[in-house]
Coordinates of all heavy atoms in Angstrom, one line a residue:
M1 N -40.4 14.6 6.4 CA -39.4 14.0 7.2 C -39.9 13.7 8.6 O -39.6 12.6 9.2 CB -38.2 14.9 7.4 CG -36.9 14.3 7.9 SD -35.6 15.4 7.5 CE -34.3 14.7 8.1
T2 N -40.8 14.5 9.1 CA -41.3 14.4 10.5 C -42.2 13.1 10.5 O -42.3 12.4 11.3 CB -42.2 15.6 11.0 OG1 -41.3 16.7 10.9 CG2 -42.7 15.3 12.4
G3 N -42.9 12.9 9.3 CA -43.8 11.8 9.2 C -43.1 10.5 9.2 O -43.5 9.5 9.7
G4 N -41.8 10.5 8.6 CA -41.1 9.4 8.5 C -40.5 8.9 9.9 O -40.5 7.8 10.4
F5 N -40.1 10.0 10.7 CA -39.7 9.7 12.1 C -40.9 9.2 12.9 O -40.7 8.3 13.8 CB -39.2 11.0 12.7 CG -37.7 11.3 12.2 CD1 -37.6 12.7 11.9 CD2 -36.8 10.4 12.1 CE1 -36.3 13.0 11.4 CE2 -35.5 10.8 11.7 CZ -35.2 12.0 11.2
Y6 N -42.0 9.8 12.8 CA -43.2 9.2 13.5 C -43.5 7.8 13.1 O -43.8 7.0 14.0 CB -44.4 10.2 13.1 CG -45.7 9.7 13.8 CD1 -45.9 9.8 15.2 CD2 -46.7 9.0 13.1 CE1 -47.0 9.4 15.7 CE2 -47.8 8.6 13.6 CZ -48.1 8.7 15.0 OH -49.1 8.3 15.6
Y7 N -43.4 7.5 11.9 CA -43.7 6.1 11.4 C -42.7 5.1 12.1 O -43.0 4.0 12.5 CB -43.6 6.0 10.0 CG -43.8 4.5 9.4 CD1 -45.0 3.9 9.4 CD2 -42.7 3.9 9.0 CE1 -45.1 2.6 8.9 CE2 -42.7 2.5 8.5 CZ -44.0 2.0 8.4 OH -44.1 0.8 8.1
L8 N -41.4 5.5 12.1 CA -40.3 4.7 12.7 C -40.6 4.5 14.2 O -40.3 3.4 14.7 CB -38.9 5.3 12.4 CG -38.4 5.1 10.9 CD1 -37.2 5.9 10.8 CD2 -38.3 3.6 10.6
E9 N -40.9 5.6 14.8 CA -41.2 5.5 16.2 C -42.3 4.6 16.5 O -42.2 3.7 17.5 CB -41.4 6.9 16.8 CG -41.6 7.0 18.2 CD -40.4 6.6 19.1 OE1 -39.3 6.9 18.6 OE2 -40.6 6.2 20.3
C10 N -43.4 4.7 15.8 CA -44.6 3.8 16.0 C -44.2 2.3 15.7 O -44.5 1.4 16.5 CB -45.8 4.2 15.1 SG -46.5 5.8 15.5
A11 N -43.3 2.1 14.7 CA -43.0 0.8 14.4 C -42.2 0.1 15.4 O -42.2 -1.0 15.9 CB -42.2 0.7 13.0
M12 N -41.1 1.0 16.0 CA -40.3 0.5 17.1 C -41.2 0.2 18.3 O -40.8 -0.8 19.0 CB -39.2 1.6 17.4 CG -38.1 1.6 16.2 SD -37.0 2.9 16.5 CE -36.4 2.6 18.2
R13 N -42.1 1.0 18.6 CA -42.9 0.8 19.9 C -43.8 -0.5 19.6 O -44.0 -1.2 20.7 CB -43.7 1.9 20.2 CG -43.0 3.1 20.7 CD -43.9 4.3 20.9 NE -43.1 5.5 21.2 CZ -43.1 6.0 22.4 NH1 -43.8 5.6 23.4 NH2 -42.3 7.1 22.7
A14 N -44.2 -0.7 18.5 CA -45.0 -1.8 18.2 C -44.3 -3.3 18.1 O -44.9 -4.4 18.1 CB -45.9 -1.7 16.9
A15 N -43.0 -3.1 17.8 CA -42.1 -4.4 17.5 C -42.0 -5.1 18.8 O -41.9 -4.6 19.9 CB -40.8 -3.8 17.1
V16 N -41.8 -6.4 18.6 CA -41.7 -7.4 19.7 C -40.3 -7.3 20.2 O -39.4 -7.5 19.3 CB -42.1 -8.8 19.3 CG1 -41.9 -9.7 20.5 CG2 -43.7 -8.8 19.0
Q17 N -40.0 -7.2 21.4 CA -38.7 -7.2 21.9 C -38.2 -8.6 22.1 O -38.9 -9.3 22.9 CB -38.5 -6.3 23.2 CG -37.3 -5.6 23.2 CD -37.3 -4.6 24.4 OE1 -38.1 -4.6 25.3 NE2 -36.5 -3.7 24.4
V18 N -37.0 -9.0 21.6 CA -36.5 -10.3 21.8 C -35.1 -10.1 22.5 O -34.3 -9.5 22.1 CB -36.4 -11.0 20.4 CG1 -35.7 -12.3 20.6 CG2 -37.7 -11.1 19.7
E19 N -35.1 -11.0 23.6 CA -33.7 -11.0 24.2 C -33.0 -12.3 23.7 O -33.5 -13.3 23.8 CB -34.0 -11.2 25.7 CG -34.6 -9.9 26.4 CD -33.7 -8.7 26.4 OE1 -32.4 -8.9 26.6 OE2 -34.2 -7.6 26.3
F20 N -31.8 -12.1 23.3 CA -30.9 -13.2 22.8 C -30.0 -13.5 23.8 O -29.4 -12.6 24.6 CB -30.2 -12.8 21.5 CG -31.1 -12.7 20.4 CD1 -31.5 -11.4 19.9 CD2 -31.6 -13.8 19.8 CE1 -32.3 -11.3 18.8 CE2 -32.5 -13.7 18.7 CZ -32.8 -12.5 18.2
Q21 N -29.6 -14.8 24.0 CA -28.6 -15.2 25.0 C -27.3 -15.3 24.2 O -27.3 -15.8 23.1 CB -29.0 -16.6 25.6 CG -30.2 -16.6 26.5 CD -30.4 -18.0 27.0 OE1 -29.8 -18.9 26.6 NE2 -31.4 -18.1 27.9
R22 N -26.3 -14.7 24.8 CA -25.0 -14.8 24.1 C -24.3 -16.2 24.3 O -24.4 -16.6 25.5 CB -24.1 -13.8 24.7 CG -24.4 -12.3 24.6 CD -23.4 -11.4 25.1 NE -24.0 -10.0 24.8 CZ -23.2 -9.0 24.5 NH1 -21.8 -9.2 24.5 NH2 -23.7 -7.9 24.2
A23 N -24.0 -16.7 23.2 CA -23.3 -18.0 23.2 C -21.8 -17.8 23.2 O -21.3 -17.1 22.3 CB -23.7 -18.9 22.1
G24 N -21.0 -18.3 24.0 CA -19.6 -18.2 24.1 C -19.0 -19.0 23.0 O -19.5 -20.2 22.8
L25 N -18.0 -18.5 22.3 CA -17.3 -19.3 21.4 C -16.2 -20.1 21.9 O -15.6 -19.7 22.9 CB -16.7 -18.3 20.3 CG -17.5 -17.5 19.4 CD1 -16.8 -16.5 18.5 CD2 -18.3 -18.4 18.5
G26 N -16.1 -21.3 21.5 CA -15.1 -22.2 22.0 C -13.6 -21.8 21.5 O -13.6 -21.0 20.6
P27 N -12.7 -22.4 22.1 CA -11.3 -22.0 21.6 C -11.1 -22.5 20.2 O -11.6 -23.6 19.8 CB -10.5 -22.6 22.6 CG -11.2 -23.8 23.2 CD -12.7 -23.3 23.2
A28 N -10.2 -21.8 19.4 CA -9.9 -22.2 18.1 C -9.1 -23.5 18.2 O -8.1 -23.5 18.9 CB -9.2 -21.1 17.3
R29 N -9.4 -24.5 17.3 CA -8.7 -25.9 17.4 C -7.9 -26.1 16.2 O -7.2 -27.1 16.1 CB -9.8 -26.9 17.6 CG -10.5 -26.9 18.9 CD -11.2 -28.1 19.1 NE -11.9 -28.2 20.5 CZ -13.0 -28.1 20.7 NH1 -13.9 -28.2 19.6 NH2 -13.5 -28.1 21.9
S30 N -7.9 -25.2 15.3 CA -7.0 -25.3 14.0 C -6.5 -24.0 13.6 O -7.1 -22.8 14.0 CB -7.8 -25.9 12.9 OG -8.8 -25.0 12.4
P31 N -5.4 -23.9 13.0 CA -4.9 -22.6 12.4 C -5.9 -21.8 11.5 O -5.9 -20.6 11.5 CB -3.7 -23.0 11.5 CG -3.3 -24.3 12.1 CD -4.5 -24.9 12.5
A32 N -6.8 -22.6 10.7 CA -7.8 -22.0 9.9 C -8.9 -21.2 10.7 O -9.3 -20.1 10.5 CB -8.5 -22.9 9.1
K33 N -9.3 -21.9 11.8 CA -10.2 -21.3 12.7 C -9.6 -20.1 13.5 O -10.2 -19.1 13.7 CB -10.8 -22.3 13.7 CG -11.7 -23.2 13.1 CD -12.4 -24.0 14.1 CE -13.4 -25.0 13.6 NZ -14.2 -25.7 14.6
L34 N -8.3 -20.3 13.9 CA -7.7 -19.0 14.6 C -7.5 -17.9 13.6 O -7.8 -16.7 14.0 CB -6.4 -19.6 14.9 CG -5.6 -18.6 16.0 CD1 -6.3 -18.5 17.2 CD2 -4.1 -19.1 16.2
A35 N -7.3 -18.1 12.3 CA -7.1 -17.0 11.4 C -8.6 -16.4 11.1 O -8.7 -15.3 11.0 CB -6.6 -17.5 10.0
W36 N -9.6 -17.3 11.1 CA -11.0 -16.8 11.0 C -11.3 -15.8 12.1 O -12.1 -14.8 11.9 CB -11.9 -17.9 10.8 CG -13.4 -17.5 10.6 CD1 -14.3 -17.5 11.5 CD2 -13.8 -16.9 9.4 NE1 -15.5 -16.9 10.9 CE2 -15.3 -16.6 9.6 CE3 -13.4 -16.6 8.2 CZ2 -16.0 -16.0 8.7 CZ3 -14.2 -16.0 7.1 CH2 -15.5 -15.8 7.4
Y37 N -11.0 -16.2 13.3 CA -11.3 -15.3 14.5 C -10.6 -13.9 14.4 O -11.1 -12.9 14.6 CB -10.9 -15.9 15.7 CG -11.8 -17.1 16.1 CD1 -11.2 -18.2 16.9 CD2 -13.1 -17.1 15.9 CE1 -12.1 -19.2 17.3 CE2 -13.9 -18.1 16.2 CZ -13.4 -19.3 16.9 OH -14.2 -20.2 17.3
Y38 N -9.4 -13.9 14.0 CA -8.5 -12.7 14.1 C -8.6 -11.9 12.7 O -8.4 -10.7 12.7 CB -7.1 -13.0 14.5 CG -7.0 -13.4 15.9 CD1 -6.8 -14.7 16.3 CD2 -7.1 -12.5 16.9 CE1 -6.6 -15.1 17.6 CE2 -7.1 -12.8 18.1 CZ -6.9 -14.2 18.6 OH -6.8 -14.5 19.9
R39 N -8.7 -12.6 11.5 CA -8.7 -11.9 10.3 C -9.8 -12.5 9.4 O -9.4 -13.1 8.3 CB -7.3 -12.1 9.6 CG -6.2 -11.4 10.4 CD -4.9 -11.5 9.7 NE -3.8 -10.9 10.4 CZ -3.4 -9.6 10.2 NH1 -4.2 -8.9 9.4 NH2 -2.4 -9.2 10.9
P40 N -11.1 -12.2 9.6 CA -12.0 -12.9 8.9 C -12.1 -12.3 7.4 O -12.4 -13.2 6.6 CB -13.3 -12.6 9.6 CG -13.0 -11.4 10.5 CD -11.5 -11.5 10.8
A41 N -11.8 -11.1 7.3 CA -12.0 -10.6 5.9 C -10.9 -11.2 4.9 O -11.2 -11.5 3.8 CB -11.8 -9.1 5.9
E42 N -9.7 -11.4 5.4 CA -8.7 -11.9 4.7 C -8.9 -13.4 4.3 O -8.7 -13.8 3.1 CB -7.2 -11.8 5.4 CG -6.6 -10.4 5.3 CD -7.1 -9.6 6.6 OE1 -8.1 -10.1 7.2 OE2 -6.6 -8.5 6.7
V43 N -9.4 -14.2 5.3 CA -9.8 -15.5 5.1 C -10.9 -15.6 4.1 O -10.8 -16.6 3.2 CB -10.1 -16.2 6.4 CG1 -10.7 -17.6 6.2 CG2 -8.9 -16.2 7.4
F44 N -11.8 -14.8 4.1 CA -13.0 -14.9 3.2 C -12.6 -14.5 1.8 O -13.0 -15.1 0.8 CB -14.1 -13.9 3.7 CG -15.3 -13.8 2.8 CD1 -16.2 -14.9 2.9 CD2 -15.5 -12.8 1.9 CE1 -17.3 -14.9 2.0 CE2 -16.6 -12.7 1.1 CZ -17.5 -13.8 1.2
Q45 N -11.7 -13.4 1.7 CA -11.3 -13.0 0.4 C -10.2 -13.8 -0.3 O -10.1 -13.8 -1.5 CB -10.7 -11.6 0.5 CG -11.8 -10.5 0.7 CD -12.6 -10.3 -0.7 OE1 -13.8 -10.9 -0.6 NE2 -12.0 -9.7 -1.6
R46 N -9.5 -14.6 0.4 CA -8.4 -15.4 -0.2 C -8.8 -16.3 -1.4 O -8.2 -16.2 -2.5 CB -7.7 -16.3 0.9 CG -6.6 -17.1 0.4 CD -5.4 -16.5 -0.4 NE -5.0 -15.3 0.4 CZ -4.2 -14.3 -0.2 NH1 -4.0 -14.3 -1.4 NH2 -3.9 -13.3 0.4
P47 N -9.9 -17.0 -1.2 CA -10.4 -17.8 -2.5 C -10.8 -16.9 -3.6 O -10.6 -17.4 -4.7 CB -11.6 -18.7 -2.0 CG -11.4 -18.7 -0.5 CD -10.7 -17.4 -0.1
V48 N -11.4 -15.9 -3.4 CA -11.8 -14.9 -4.4 C -10.6 -14.3 -5.2 O -10.5 -14.3 -6.3 CB -12.7 -13.7 -3.9 CG1 -12.9 -12.7 -5.0 CG2 -13.9 -14.2 -3.2
I49 N -9.5 -13.9 -4.4 CA -8.3 -13.4 -5.0 C -7.6 -14.5 -5.8 O -7.1 -14.2 -6.9 CB -7.4 -12.9 -3.9 CG1 -8.0 -11.6 -3.3 CG2 -6.1 -12.6 -4.5 CD1 -7.3 -11.1 -2.0
D50 N -7.6 -15.7 -5.3 CA -6.9 -16.8 -6.0 C -7.6 -17.1 -7.4 O -7.0 -17.3 -8.4 CB -6.9 -18.0 -5.1 CG -5.9 -18.0 -3.9 OD1 -5.0 -17.1 -4.1 OD2 -6.1 -18.7 -3.1
A51 N -8.9 -17.2 -7.4 CA -9.8 -17.4 -8.6 C -9.5 -16.3 -9.5 O -9.3 -16.6 -10.7 CB -11.2 -17.6 -8.2
R52 N -9.5 -15.0 -9.1 CA -9.4 -13.9 -10.1 C -7.9 -14.0 -10.7 O -7.8 -13.7 -11.8 CB -9.6 -12.6 -9.4 CG -11.1 -12.3 -9.2 CD -11.3 -11.1 -8.6 NE -12.7 -10.8 -8.4 CZ -13.2 -9.6 -8.0 NH1 -12.4 -8.7 -7.6 NH2 -14.6 -9.5 -7.9
S53 N -6.9 -14.3 -9.8 CA -5.7 -14.4 -10.3 C -5.4 -15.5 -11.4 O -4.7 -15.4 -12.3 CB -4.6 -14.4 -9.2 OG -4.7 -15.7 -8.6
Q54 N -6.1 -16.6 -11.2 CA -6.1 -17.7 -12.1 C -6.6 -17.4 -13.4 O -6.3 -17.8 -14.5 CB -6.6 -19.0 -11.5 CG -5.7 -19.6 -10.4 CD -6.5 -20.8 -9.8 OE1 -7.6 -21.1 -10.2 NE2 -5.8 -21.3 -8.7
R55 N -7.7 -16.6 -13.4 CA -8.4 -16.2 -14.6 C -8.0 -15.1 -15.3 O -8.4 -14.6 -16.4 CB -9.9 -16.0 -14.3 CG -10.6 -17.2 -13.9 CD -12.1 -17.1 -13.7 NE -12.7 -15.9 -13.7 CZ -13.9 -15.6 -13.4 NH1 -14.7 -16.5 -13.0 NH2 -14.3 -14.4 -13.4
G56 N -7.0 -14.4 -14.7 CA -6.2 -13.2 -15.3 C -7.1 -11.9 -15.1 O -6.8 -11.0 -15.8
L57 N -7.9 -11.8 -14.2 CA -8.7 -10.7 -13.9 C -8.2 -9.9 -12.8 O -8.6 -8.8 -12.6 CB -10.2 -11.1 -13.5 CG -11.0 -11.9 -14.5 CD1 -12.4 -12.2 -14.0 CD2 -11.2 -11.0 -15.7
W58 N -7.1 -10.3 -12.3 CA -6.5 -9.6 -11.1 C -5.0 -9.4 -11.5 O -4.3 -10.1 -11.8 CB -6.5 -10.5 -9.8 CG -6.2 -9.7 -8.6 CD1 -5.1 -9.5 -8.0 CD2 -7.3 -9.3 -7.7 NE1 -5.2 -8.8 -6.9 CE2 -6.6 -8.5 -6.6 CE3 -8.6 -9.1 -7.7 CZ2 -7.2 -8.0 -5.6 CZ3 -9.3 -8.3 -6.6 CH2 -8.6 -7.9 -5.7
H59 N -4.7 -8.0 -11.4 CA -3.3 -7.6 -11.8 C -2.3 -7.8 -10.5 O -2.7 -7.2 -9.4 CB -3.2 -6.4 -12.4 CG -4.0 -6.2 -13.6 ND1 -3.5 -6.7 -14.8 CD2 -5.2 -5.6 -13.7 CE1 -4.4 -6.4 -15.6 NE2 -5.5 -5.7 -15.2
S60 N -1.4 -8.4 -10.6 CA -0.4 -8.6 -9.5 C 0.5 -7.6 -9.4 O 1.0 -7.0 -10.3 CB 0.4 -9.9 -9.6 OG -0.4 -11.1 -9.7

């Protein structure tokens, strides 16, 4: 276990450090984008739930 920690520490010290600039998100211009900002999981899952319900794999 100590060897693993040593390896990780060496890898972290040798890794190149990259600074990212934060990009500001613009305002939501549609209801779909607004829903994506506030409830991304539900927006992402909606097509999956609809497809499963149409194929009979999802019990209502």
Side-chain angles (χ1 to χ4, degrees):
M1 190 163 182
T2 306
F5 286 131
Y6 175 75
Y7 176 75
L8 288 174
E9 181 68 26
C10 290
M12 286 175 53
R13 289 178 189 249
V16 177
Q17 212 171 16
V18 178
E19 293 290 330
F20 290 103
Q21 294 180 355
R22 294 182 181 215
L25 295 174
R29 294 194 175 114
S30 69
K33 284 188 178 183
L34 190 63
W36 181 254
Y37 286 148
Y38 290 108
R39 298 184 178 266
E42 287 88 347
V43 172
F44 179 77
Q45 284 293 102
R46 180 54 50 199
V48 175
I49 292 170
D50 289 343
R52 285 184 175 179
S53 65
Q54 289 174 1
R55 293 187 349 191
L57 298 175
W58 196 273
H59 298 288
S60 298

